[in-house]
Short mmCIF file of all heavy atoms in Angstrom, two decimals:
data_model
loop_
_atom_site.label_atom_id
_atom_site.label_comp_id
_atom_site.label_asym_id
_atom_site.label_seq_id
_atom_site.Cartn_x
_atom_site.Cartn_y
_atom_site.Cartn_z
N GLU V 114 -207.39 55.81 -37.79
CA GLU V 114 -207.74 56.49 -36.54
C GLU V 114 -207.48 57.99 -36.61
O GLU V 114 -207.86 58.72 -35.69
CB GLU V 114 -206.94 55.89 -35.38
CG GLU V 114 -207.29 54.43 -35.11
CD GLU V 114 -206.38 53.81 -34.08
OE1 GLU V 114 -205.51 54.55 -33.55
OE2 GLU V 114 -206.50 52.60 -33.82
N HIS V 115 -206.83 58.44 -37.68
CA HIS V 115 -206.48 59.85 -37.80
C HIS V 115 -207.55 60.56 -38.64
O HIS V 115 -207.50 60.59 -39.86
CB HIS V 115 -205.10 59.98 -38.45
CG HIS V 115 -204.64 61.41 -38.61
ND1 HIS V 115 -205.06 62.42 -37.77
CD2 HIS V 115 -203.79 61.97 -39.49
CE1 HIS V 115 -204.49 63.54 -38.14
NE2 HIS V 115 -203.71 63.29 -39.19
N SER V 116 -208.52 61.14 -37.95
CA SER V 116 -209.67 61.72 -38.64
C SER V 116 -209.35 63.03 -39.34
O SER V 116 -210.08 63.47 -40.23
CB SER V 116 -210.80 61.95 -37.62
OG SER V 116 -210.35 62.79 -36.57
N ALA V 117 -208.24 63.69 -38.95
CA ALA V 117 -207.93 65.01 -39.52
C ALA V 117 -207.42 64.92 -40.95
O ALA V 117 -207.40 65.92 -41.68
CB ALA V 117 -206.89 65.71 -38.64
N LEU V 118 -207.01 63.74 -41.39
CA LEU V 118 -206.51 63.59 -42.75
C LEU V 118 -207.66 63.72 -43.75
O LEU V 118 -208.76 63.20 -43.54
CB LEU V 118 -205.84 62.22 -42.93
CG LEU V 118 -204.43 62.03 -42.36
CD1 LEU V 118 -204.01 60.58 -42.50
CD2 LEU V 118 -203.44 62.94 -43.09
N SER V 119 -207.38 64.39 -44.85
CA SER V 119 -208.39 64.50 -45.91
C SER V 119 -208.57 63.13 -46.55
O SER V 119 -207.68 62.27 -46.50
CB SER V 119 -207.95 65.52 -46.95
OG SER V 119 -206.78 65.07 -47.63
N GLN V 120 -209.70 62.96 -47.21
CA GLN V 120 -209.99 61.68 -47.85
C GLN V 120 -208.97 61.37 -48.94
O GLN V 120 -208.53 60.23 -49.10
CB GLN V 120 -211.41 61.69 -48.44
CG GLN V 120 -211.84 60.36 -49.03
CD GLN V 120 -211.87 59.25 -47.98
OE1 GLN V 120 -212.28 59.49 -46.84
NE2 GLN V 120 -211.45 58.07 -48.37
N GLN V 121 -208.57 62.41 -49.66
CA GLN V 121 -207.59 62.22 -50.74
C GLN V 121 -206.24 61.79 -50.19
O GLN V 121 -205.60 60.87 -50.71
CB GLN V 121 -207.46 63.52 -51.54
CG GLN V 121 -206.50 63.40 -52.73
CD GLN V 121 -206.41 64.70 -53.51
OE1 GLN V 121 -207.01 65.70 -53.14
NE2 GLN V 121 -205.66 64.67 -54.60
N LYS V 122 -205.80 62.48 -49.13
CA LYS V 122 -204.51 62.16 -48.52
C LYS V 122 -204.53 60.75 -47.95
O LYS V 122 -203.57 59.97 -48.11
CB LYS V 122 -204.21 63.18 -47.41
CG LYS V 122 -202.93 62.93 -46.65
CD LYS V 122 -201.71 63.19 -47.51
CE LYS V 122 -200.44 63.11 -46.70
NZ LYS V 122 -199.22 63.28 -47.50
N ARG V 123 -205.65 60.41 -47.30
CA ARG V 123 -205.77 59.09 -46.70
C ARG V 123 -205.73 58.01 -47.77
O ARG V 123 -205.07 56.97 -47.60
CB ARG V 123 -207.06 59.00 -45.90
CG ARG V 123 -207.25 57.68 -45.18
CD ARG V 123 -208.51 57.69 -44.34
NE ARG V 123 -208.50 58.80 -43.38
CZ ARG V 123 -209.47 59.03 -42.53
NH1 ARG V 123 -210.55 58.25 -42.53
NH2 ARG V 123 -209.41 60.04 -41.69
N SER V 124 -206.39 58.25 -48.87
CA SER V 124 -206.42 57.28 -49.96
C SER V 124 -205.03 57.06 -50.55
O SER V 124 -204.62 55.93 -50.82
CB SER V 124 -207.39 57.76 -51.04
OG SER V 124 -207.39 56.88 -52.14
N CYS V 125 -204.30 58.15 -50.75
CA CYS V 125 -202.93 58.05 -51.30
C CYS V 125 -202.02 57.26 -50.36
O CYS V 125 -201.23 56.40 -50.81
CB CYS V 125 -202.35 59.44 -51.53
SG CYS V 125 -203.13 60.35 -52.88
N LEU V 126 -202.13 57.53 -49.07
CA LEU V 126 -201.29 56.82 -48.10
C LEU V 126 -201.62 55.34 -48.06
O LEU V 126 -200.72 54.48 -48.00
CB LEU V 126 -201.46 57.44 -46.71
CG LEU V 126 -200.84 58.82 -46.49
CD1 LEU V 126 -201.27 59.39 -45.15
CD2 LEU V 126 -199.32 58.74 -46.57
N GLU V 127 -202.90 55.02 -48.11
CA GLU V 127 -203.30 53.60 -48.06
C GLU V 127 -202.82 52.85 -49.30
O GLU V 127 -202.39 51.70 -49.20
CB GLU V 127 -204.82 53.51 -47.92
CG GLU V 127 -205.32 53.92 -46.54
CD GLU V 127 -206.83 53.91 -46.46
OE1 GLU V 127 -207.48 53.86 -47.52
OE2 GLU V 127 -207.37 53.96 -45.32
N LYS V 128 -202.87 53.50 -50.46
CA LYS V 128 -202.38 52.86 -51.69
C LYS V 128 -200.87 52.61 -51.61
O LYS V 128 -200.38 51.56 -52.02
CB LYS V 128 -202.70 53.75 -52.90
CG LYS V 128 -204.16 53.77 -53.30
CD LYS V 128 -204.38 54.65 -54.52
CE LYS V 128 -205.85 54.67 -54.92
NZ LYS V 128 -206.09 55.56 -56.10
N GLU V 129 -200.17 53.59 -51.06
CA GLU V 129 -198.71 53.46 -50.92
C GLU V 129 -198.36 52.30 -49.98
O GLU V 129 -197.46 51.50 -50.25
CB GLU V 129 -198.12 54.77 -50.39
CG GLU V 129 -196.60 54.80 -50.39
CD GLU V 129 -196.06 56.16 -49.98
OE1 GLU V 129 -196.85 57.12 -49.88
OE2 GLU V 129 -194.84 56.26 -49.76
N LEU V 130 -199.11 52.19 -48.89
CA LEU V 130 -198.85 51.11 -47.94
C LEU V 130 -199.21 49.75 -48.53
O LEU V 130 -198.54 48.74 -48.27
CB LEU V 130 -199.64 51.35 -46.65
CG LEU V 130 -199.14 52.50 -45.77
CD1 LEU V 130 -200.13 52.80 -44.66
CD2 LEU V 130 -197.78 52.15 -45.18
N GLN V 131 -200.27 49.71 -49.35
CA GLN V 131 -200.64 48.46 -50.00
C GLN V 131 -199.54 47.99 -50.95
O GLN V 131 -199.26 46.78 -51.07
CB GLN V 131 -201.96 48.63 -50.76
CG GLN V 131 -203.19 48.73 -49.88
CD GLN V 131 -203.48 47.44 -49.13
OE1 GLN V 131 -202.95 46.37 -49.45
NE2 GLN V 131 -204.33 47.54 -48.11
N LYS V 132 -198.88 48.94 -51.62
CA LYS V 132 -197.75 48.59 -52.49
C LYS V 132 -196.62 47.97 -51.69
O LYS V 132 -195.99 47.00 -52.11
CB LYS V 132 -197.26 49.83 -53.23
CG LYS V 132 -198.19 50.34 -54.31
CD LYS V 132 -197.59 51.56 -55.00
CE LYS V 132 -198.52 52.08 -56.08
NZ LYS V 132 -197.97 53.30 -56.75
N HIS V 133 -196.35 48.57 -50.52
CA HIS V 133 -195.29 48.02 -49.67
C HIS V 133 -195.64 46.61 -49.21
O HIS V 133 -194.77 45.71 -49.20
CB HIS V 133 -195.06 48.93 -48.46
CG HIS V 133 -194.50 50.27 -48.80
ND1 HIS V 133 -193.56 50.46 -49.78
CD2 HIS V 133 -194.76 51.51 -48.26
CE1 HIS V 133 -193.24 51.75 -49.85
NE2 HIS V 133 -193.97 52.41 -48.95
N LEU V 134 -196.89 46.41 -48.84
CA LEU V 134 -197.31 45.07 -48.39
C LEU V 134 -197.22 44.05 -49.52
O LEU V 134 -196.81 42.91 -49.31
CB LEU V 134 -198.75 45.15 -47.85
CG LEU V 134 -198.92 45.85 -46.49
CD1 LEU V 134 -200.39 46.09 -46.20
CD2 LEU V 134 -198.28 45.00 -45.38
N GLN V 135 -197.58 44.48 -50.70
CA GLN V 135 -197.49 43.59 -51.85
C GLN V 135 -196.03 43.25 -52.15
O GLN V 135 -195.70 42.10 -52.49
CB GLN V 135 -198.14 44.26 -53.07
CG GLN V 135 -198.24 43.36 -54.30
CD GLN V 135 -199.15 42.16 -54.06
OE1 GLN V 135 -200.10 42.23 -53.29
NE2 GLN V 135 -198.84 41.06 -54.73
N SER V 136 -195.16 44.24 -52.00
CA SER V 136 -193.73 44.02 -52.22
C SER V 136 -193.18 43.00 -51.22
O SER V 136 -192.34 42.16 -51.56
CB SER V 136 -192.97 45.34 -52.09
OG SER V 136 -191.59 45.15 -52.25
N CYS V 137 -193.67 43.07 -49.99
CA CYS V 137 -193.24 42.10 -48.98
C CYS V 137 -193.63 40.68 -49.38
O CYS V 137 -192.86 39.73 -49.20
CB CYS V 137 -193.86 42.44 -47.62
SG CYS V 137 -193.16 43.91 -46.83
N LYS V 138 -194.83 40.52 -49.91
CA LYS V 138 -195.31 39.20 -50.28
C LYS V 138 -194.51 38.64 -51.46
O LYS V 138 -194.30 37.43 -51.57
CB LYS V 138 -196.78 39.27 -50.66
CG LYS V 138 -197.70 39.61 -49.48
CD LYS V 138 -199.15 39.72 -49.94
CE LYS V 138 -200.06 40.09 -48.77
NZ LYS V 138 -201.48 40.23 -49.18
N GLN V 139 -194.05 39.51 -52.35
CA GLN V 139 -193.32 39.07 -53.54
C GLN V 139 -191.88 38.68 -53.23
O GLN V 139 -191.26 37.94 -54.00
CB GLN V 139 -193.34 40.17 -54.60
CG GLN V 139 -194.72 40.44 -55.20
CD GLN V 139 -194.73 41.62 -56.13
OE1 GLN V 139 -193.75 42.34 -56.25
NE2 GLN V 139 -195.86 41.83 -56.80
N ARG V 140 -191.37 39.19 -52.13
CA ARG V 140 -189.97 38.89 -51.79
C ARG V 140 -189.90 37.55 -51.07
O ARG V 140 -190.44 37.37 -49.99
CB ARG V 140 -189.38 39.99 -50.91
CG ARG V 140 -189.32 41.33 -51.63
CD ARG V 140 -188.77 42.43 -50.74
NE ARG V 140 -187.39 42.19 -50.34
CZ ARG V 140 -186.65 43.07 -49.67
NH1 ARG V 140 -187.17 44.23 -49.30
NH2 ARG V 140 -185.41 42.79 -49.35
N ASN V 141 -189.25 36.63 -51.71
CA ASN V 141 -189.16 35.27 -51.16
C ASN V 141 -188.01 35.20 -50.16
O ASN V 141 -186.92 34.73 -50.45
CB ASN V 141 -188.93 34.28 -52.31
CG ASN V 141 -188.93 32.85 -51.81
OD1 ASN V 141 -189.47 32.58 -50.74
ND2 ASN V 141 -188.34 31.96 -52.58
N LEU V 142 -188.31 35.75 -48.98
CA LEU V 142 -187.25 35.82 -47.96
C LEU V 142 -187.65 35.07 -46.70
O LEU V 142 -187.21 35.40 -45.60
CB LEU V 142 -186.97 37.29 -47.62
CG LEU V 142 -186.38 38.12 -48.76
CD1 LEU V 142 -186.29 39.57 -48.33
CD2 LEU V 142 -185.00 37.62 -49.14
N VAL V 143 -188.51 34.07 -46.88
CA VAL V 143 -188.94 33.30 -45.72
C VAL V 143 -187.73 32.59 -45.11
O VAL V 143 -186.96 31.94 -45.80
CB VAL V 143 -190.00 32.25 -46.12
CG1 VAL V 143 -190.38 31.40 -44.91
CG2 VAL V 143 -191.21 32.95 -46.71
N GLY V 144 -187.55 32.74 -43.81
CA GLY V 144 -186.41 32.13 -43.11
C GLY V 144 -185.15 32.95 -43.18
O GLY V 144 -184.14 32.56 -42.62
N SER V 145 -185.18 34.10 -43.88
CA SER V 145 -183.96 34.89 -44.00
C SER V 145 -183.55 35.50 -42.67
O SER V 145 -182.38 35.73 -42.44
CB SER V 145 -184.15 36.00 -45.03
OG SER V 145 -185.16 36.91 -44.60
N ASP V 146 -184.55 35.75 -41.79
CA ASP V 146 -184.22 36.34 -40.49
C ASP V 146 -183.28 35.40 -39.73
O ASP V 146 -182.29 35.84 -39.14
CB ASP V 146 -185.49 36.57 -39.68
CG ASP V 146 -186.40 37.59 -40.33
OD1 ASP V 146 -186.04 38.12 -41.39
OD2 ASP V 146 -187.47 37.85 -39.76
N LYS V 147 -183.61 34.13 -39.77
CA LYS V 147 -182.78 33.16 -39.06
C LYS V 147 -181.42 33.06 -39.72
O LYS V 147 -180.39 32.97 -39.05
CB LYS V 147 -183.48 31.80 -39.06
CG LYS V 147 -182.72 30.73 -38.29
CD LYS V 147 -183.50 29.44 -38.26
CE LYS V 147 -182.72 28.36 -37.51
NZ LYS V 147 -183.45 27.10 -37.45
N GLU V 148 -181.42 33.07 -41.06
CA GLU V 148 -180.15 32.98 -41.77
C GLU V 148 -179.27 34.18 -41.45
O GLU V 148 -178.07 34.04 -41.25
CB GLU V 148 -180.39 32.89 -43.27
CG GLU V 148 -181.08 31.59 -43.69
CD GLU V 148 -181.49 31.62 -45.15
OE1 GLU V 148 -181.16 32.59 -45.84
OE2 GLU V 148 -182.13 30.66 -45.59
N ASN V 149 -179.88 35.37 -41.42
CA ASN V 149 -179.10 36.57 -41.13
C ASN V 149 -178.50 36.51 -39.74
O ASN V 149 -177.40 36.98 -39.50
CB ASN V 149 -179.98 37.81 -41.25
CG ASN V 149 -180.32 38.12 -42.70
OD1 ASN V 149 -179.63 37.69 -43.61
ND2 ASN V 149 -181.42 38.85 -42.89
N SER V 150 -179.27 35.95 -38.78
CA SER V 150 -178.76 35.92 -37.42
C SER V 150 -177.60 34.95 -37.27
O SER V 150 -176.77 35.10 -36.38
CB SER V 150 -179.88 35.52 -36.45
OG SER V 150 -180.29 34.19 -36.72
N MET V 151 -177.56 33.93 -38.15
CA MET V 151 -176.50 32.94 -38.06
C MET V 151 -175.31 33.28 -38.95
O MET V 151 -174.24 32.70 -38.82
CB MET V 151 -177.04 31.55 -38.47
CG MET V 151 -178.15 31.04 -37.57
SD MET V 151 -177.59 30.79 -35.88
CE MET V 151 -176.40 29.47 -36.11
N LYS V 152 -175.49 34.23 -39.85
CA LYS V 152 -174.46 34.55 -40.83
C LYS V 152 -173.24 35.15 -40.16
O LYS V 152 -173.33 35.97 -39.27
CB LYS V 152 -175.02 35.52 -41.87
CG LYS V 152 -174.05 35.81 -43.01
CD LYS V 152 -174.69 36.78 -43.98
CE LYS V 152 -173.74 37.13 -45.11
NZ LYS V 152 -174.34 38.09 -46.04
N ASN V 153 -172.10 34.72 -40.58
CA ASN V 153 -170.83 35.28 -40.12
C ASN V 153 -170.63 35.17 -38.61
O ASN V 153 -169.94 35.98 -38.00
CB ASN V 153 -170.70 36.76 -40.52
CG ASN V 153 -170.53 36.92 -42.01
OD1 ASN V 153 -169.94 36.07 -42.67
ND2 ASN V 153 -171.04 38.01 -42.53
N LYS V 154 -171.26 34.18 -38.02
CA LYS V 154 -171.08 34.01 -36.58
C LYS V 154 -169.70 33.43 -36.31
O LYS V 154 -169.26 32.49 -36.96
CB LYS V 154 -172.16 33.07 -36.03
CG LYS V 154 -172.17 33.01 -34.51
CD LYS V 154 -173.36 32.22 -34.02
CE LYS V 154 -173.42 32.19 -32.50
NZ LYS V 154 -174.58 31.44 -32.02
N ASP V 155 -168.97 34.04 -35.35
CA ASP V 155 -167.62 33.57 -35.03
C ASP V 155 -167.67 32.13 -34.55
O ASP V 155 -168.50 31.76 -33.72
CB ASP V 155 -166.98 34.44 -33.96
CG ASP V 155 -166.45 35.74 -34.53
OD1 ASP V 155 -165.90 35.69 -35.63
OD2 ASP V 155 -166.59 36.77 -33.86
N GLN V 156 -166.77 31.31 -35.07
CA GLN V 156 -166.65 29.93 -34.63
C GLN V 156 -165.80 29.92 -33.36
O GLN V 156 -164.58 29.94 -33.39
CB GLN V 156 -166.01 29.08 -35.73
CG GLN V 156 -166.81 29.02 -37.02
CD GLN V 156 -168.19 28.41 -36.80
OE1 GLN V 156 -168.32 27.37 -36.16
NE2 GLN V 156 -169.20 29.04 -37.34
N PHE V 157 -166.46 29.90 -32.22
CA PHE V 157 -165.76 29.97 -30.94
C PHE V 157 -166.45 29.04 -29.96
O PHE V 157 -167.64 29.20 -29.66
CB PHE V 157 -165.76 31.40 -30.40
CG PHE V 157 -165.10 31.56 -29.06
CD1 PHE V 157 -163.72 31.63 -28.95
CD2 PHE V 157 -165.86 31.63 -27.91
CE1 PHE V 157 -163.11 31.78 -27.72
CE2 PHE V 157 -165.26 31.77 -26.66
CZ PHE V 157 -163.88 31.85 -26.57
N VAL V 158 -165.71 28.04 -29.47
CA VAL V 158 -166.25 27.12 -28.47
C VAL V 158 -165.51 27.39 -27.17
O VAL V 158 -164.30 27.21 -27.09
CB VAL V 158 -166.07 25.65 -28.91
CG1 VAL V 158 -166.66 24.72 -27.85
CG2 VAL V 158 -166.73 25.42 -30.27
N GLU V 159 -166.25 27.80 -26.16
CA GLU V 159 -165.64 28.21 -24.91
C GLU V 159 -165.17 27.02 -24.08
O GLU V 159 -165.82 25.98 -24.03
CB GLU V 159 -166.62 29.05 -24.09
CG GLU V 159 -166.02 29.67 -22.84
CD GLU V 159 -167.00 30.59 -22.13
OE1 GLU V 159 -168.19 30.59 -22.51
OE2 GLU V 159 -166.58 31.31 -21.21
N SER V 160 -164.04 27.21 -23.41
CA SER V 160 -163.51 26.19 -22.53
C SER V 160 -164.45 25.96 -21.34
O SER V 160 -165.08 26.90 -20.85
CB SER V 160 -162.13 26.62 -22.01
OG SER V 160 -161.70 25.80 -20.94
N GLU V 161 -164.53 24.72 -20.87
CA GLU V 161 -165.35 24.43 -19.70
C GLU V 161 -164.66 24.85 -18.40
O GLU V 161 -165.31 25.02 -17.38
CB GLU V 161 -165.66 22.93 -19.65
CG GLU V 161 -166.54 22.45 -20.80
CD GLU V 161 -166.85 20.97 -20.71
OE1 GLU V 161 -166.34 20.31 -19.77
OE2 GLU V 161 -167.59 20.46 -21.57
N LEU V 162 -163.34 25.05 -18.45
CA LEU V 162 -162.58 25.37 -17.24
C LEU V 162 -162.13 26.83 -17.17
O LEU V 162 -161.93 27.36 -16.08
CB LEU V 162 -161.34 24.46 -17.14
CG LEU V 162 -161.61 22.99 -16.86
CD1 LEU V 162 -160.31 22.19 -16.85
CD2 LEU V 162 -162.34 22.80 -15.53
N ILE V 163 -161.96 27.48 -18.34
CA ILE V 163 -161.46 28.86 -18.35
C ILE V 163 -162.50 29.73 -19.05
O ILE V 163 -162.69 29.65 -20.27
CB ILE V 163 -160.12 28.98 -19.09
CG1 ILE V 163 -159.13 27.94 -18.57
CG2 ILE V 163 -159.55 30.38 -18.93
CD1 ILE V 163 -157.84 27.88 -19.36
N ALA V 164 -163.19 30.55 -18.28
CA ALA V 164 -164.21 31.43 -18.86
C ALA V 164 -163.60 32.35 -19.90
O ALA V 164 -162.50 32.88 -19.72
CB ALA V 164 -164.86 32.27 -17.75
N ASN V 165 -164.29 32.50 -21.02
CA ASN V 165 -163.93 33.42 -22.12
C ASN V 165 -162.78 32.93 -22.99
O ASN V 165 -162.46 33.58 -23.98
CB ASN V 165 -163.57 34.82 -21.58
CG ASN V 165 -164.62 35.37 -20.65
OD1 ASN V 165 -165.80 35.38 -20.96
ND2 ASN V 165 -164.19 35.83 -19.47
N ALA V 166 -162.16 31.80 -22.65
CA ALA V 166 -161.08 31.25 -23.47
C ALA V 166 -161.61 30.09 -24.30
O ALA V 166 -162.61 29.45 -23.94
CB ALA V 166 -159.93 30.78 -22.59
N SER V 167 -160.95 29.83 -25.42
CA SER V 167 -161.40 28.74 -26.28
C SER V 167 -161.06 27.39 -25.66
O SER V 167 -160.22 27.28 -24.76
CB SER V 167 -160.75 28.85 -27.67
OG SER V 167 -159.39 28.44 -27.61
N GLN V 168 -161.72 26.36 -26.15
CA GLN V 168 -161.51 25.02 -25.60
C GLN V 168 -160.11 24.49 -25.91
O GLN V 168 -159.67 23.50 -25.31
CB GLN V 168 -162.55 24.06 -26.16
CG GLN V 168 -162.49 23.88 -27.66
CD GLN V 168 -163.53 22.89 -28.16
OE1 GLN V 168 -164.29 22.33 -27.39
NE2 GLN V 168 -163.58 22.69 -29.47
N GLY V 169 -159.39 25.15 -26.81
CA GLY V 169 -158.02 24.72 -27.15
C GLY V 169 -156.97 25.33 -26.25
O GLY V 169 -155.77 25.24 -26.55
N VAL V 170 -157.37 25.95 -25.15
CA VAL V 170 -156.44 26.66 -24.26
C VAL V 170 -156.52 26.06 -22.86
O VAL V 170 -157.61 25.69 -22.39
CB VAL V 170 -156.80 28.16 -24.20
CG1 VAL V 170 -155.95 28.89 -23.18
CG2 VAL V 170 -156.60 28.79 -25.58
#
Side-chain angles (χ1 to χ4, degrees):
E114 295 173 3
H115 181 27
S116 58
L118 283 174
S119 66
Q120 184 62 39
Q121 183 179 3
K122 177 70 173 177
R123 183 177 303 180
S124 177
C125 290
L126 288 172
E127 288 176 345
K128 287 181 180 179
E129 188 175 350
L130 289 170
Q131 287 294 344
K132 288 181 180 179
H133 293 322
L134 288 169
Q135 186 64 31
S136 178
C137 288
K138 293 178 181 179
Q139 292 174 353
R140 296 178 64 173
N141 185 20
L142 295 174
V143 177
S145 63
D146 296 359
K147 182 176 179 180
E148 293 172 4
N149 288 338
S150 65
M151 298 297 295
K152 185 180 178 181
N153 291 328
K154 189 173 182 180
D155 281 321
Q156 298 299 313
F157 178 80
V158 181
E159 187 175 10
S160 167
E161 294 181 358
L162 291 177
I163 310 173
N165 309 310
S167 75
Q168 62 179 359
V170 174

